[in-house]
Structures are given as structure tokens and as C-alpha cells.
Amino acid sequence: YNFSIYNMKKDTKIYLILVVIVMLIIAGIFYIKNNNITPEEKTMKCISNKAIMYSQTTCVHCKEQKEILGQYLSLFKIIECDKTPELCIQITGTPNWEINGKFYSGVKSIKELADLTDCECNANINVVKNSSEVCNINNTTNNCTATAQTICTK
């Protein structure tokens, strides 16, 4: 049997052409979407793929850390230790970051997280200066209130 587009029925040709057009449109959408990623989003996706944040819903510094992550918060795996304490046995305070099997406590800037995860820190992203403030995991009050200074760096 000799396969040729010329031997196909007219309806089959039309369906084949429509399938090819739809596939090209879908491929084009994926190409455009992946090429329109901002430098900030590229950095945040890289960090979020390599880091886990341990948090508590009542922790002021955890809230501060989440604010630093901003619109990219949903990219991150965040374990709330007051809701799932069985996942936080090794955690002594929050916020705490697990990166490559090591733990880093305290509020971290985007630059610090990029450095710890070996991700390139692209463009201007709001970051917080070094802050070693940590809310004790057993602290049931909200008296853990030190704030960090926000800066913008490359």
C-alpha cells in the first residue's frame, strides 16, 4: 500500500490539516508562555524547586518571610508546623528553610535564598537584610516581633 496525501479522501485531508493547525497553535502558546517568563519569576521558580519553608501560622517572622516571597508564595512548598507537627520534629524554630538537606533558620532575603540554592538572582526583587530573628517553635504568644529592613538589590 502506497501512503500519499493525494490518495486520501477530502474529509480526511481536512481533519489532518485541522489537527496539524491545532498542534501548531498549542506549540506556539507554550513557546510564547515559556519565553515570556520574567527574570524575577525565573529566580523564584528556581528557588522554590530547591527549598522547603517551615512556618507557623502564628509566627510574625514567618508572615514577614511570606511577604518577602510575595506574589510567588504559591510556588513554594510550605509546611505549617503548628498544623503538621509530625513533619517538623527536626525544626527548633520558624521560619526555617530546608535546602539540599541542610536547615537555615530565620528570615531570608531573596538574594540569600538564591545564594543558598545556587540560583541566579535576576533583576530587582525586594529583599530583606539579614535577620536572625526566629520564633521559637514552642512559642504560643505573638511576642516575637522584630522587623527587618526592606531593600531592593540586583
Side-chain angles (χ1 to χ4, degrees):
Y1 180 75
N2 194 4
F3 177 78
S4 170
I5 195 162
Y6 300 109
N7 294 338
M8 291 181 161
K9 293 181 182 175
K10 186 176 180 179
D11 287 347
T12 306
K13 287 180 188 178
I14 291 172
Y15 288 130
L16 181 63
I17 290 169
L18 287 174
V19 167
V20 169
I21 290 171
V22 168
M23 289 173 63
L24 288 173
I25 290 171
I26 291 171
I29 290 170
F30 279 113
Y31 178 77
I32 290 168
K33 187 176 181 183
N34 288 336
N35 282 340
N36 283 342
I37 188 170
T38 65
E40 293 89 351
E41 189 174 356
K42 183 178 178 183
T43 297
M44 298 304 276
K45 281 186 174 185
C46 180
I47 295 168
S48 68
N49 286 331
K50 299 178 179 184
I52 300 171
M53 179 183 166
Y54 293 87
S55 179
Q56 293 180 91
T57 55
T58 58
C59 170
V60 172
H61 301 298
C62 299
K63 183 177 183 222
E64 180 183 340
Q65 183 69 76
K66 290 173 183 176
E67 287 172 359
I68 292 169
L69 300 177
Q71 70 189 47
Y72 303 104
L73 181 64
S74 64
L75 296 175
F76 286 83
K77 179 177 182 181
I78 299 174
I79 297 173
E80 298 291 351
C81 292
D82 49 346
K83 293 182 179 178
T84 54
E86 66 278 6
L87 299 177
C88 300
I89 294 168
Q90 72 280 27
I91 304 299
T92 58
T94 56
N96 207 310
W97 289 93
E98 183 179 358
I99 301 168
N100 296 324
K102 295 182 181 176
F103 292 91
Y104 304 89
S105 64
V107 174
K108 302 292 180 220
S109 69
I110 301 304
K111 176 77 171 105
E112 288 175 295
L113 290 170
D115 290 344
L116 290 169
T117 56
D118 292 325
C119 293
E120 186 178 346
C121 194
N122 294 302
N124 289 324
I125 301 176
N126 285 329
V127 298
V128 170
K129 288 185 178 178
N130 291 344
S131 174
S132 59
E133 295 295 327
V134 176
C135 289
N136 187 302
I137 198 83
N138 298 318
N139 186 358
T140 56
T141 65
N142 287 336
N143 62 359
C144 195
T145 58
T147 58
Q149 184 178 4
T150 301
I151 59 172
C152 200
T153 68
K154 283 205 173 222

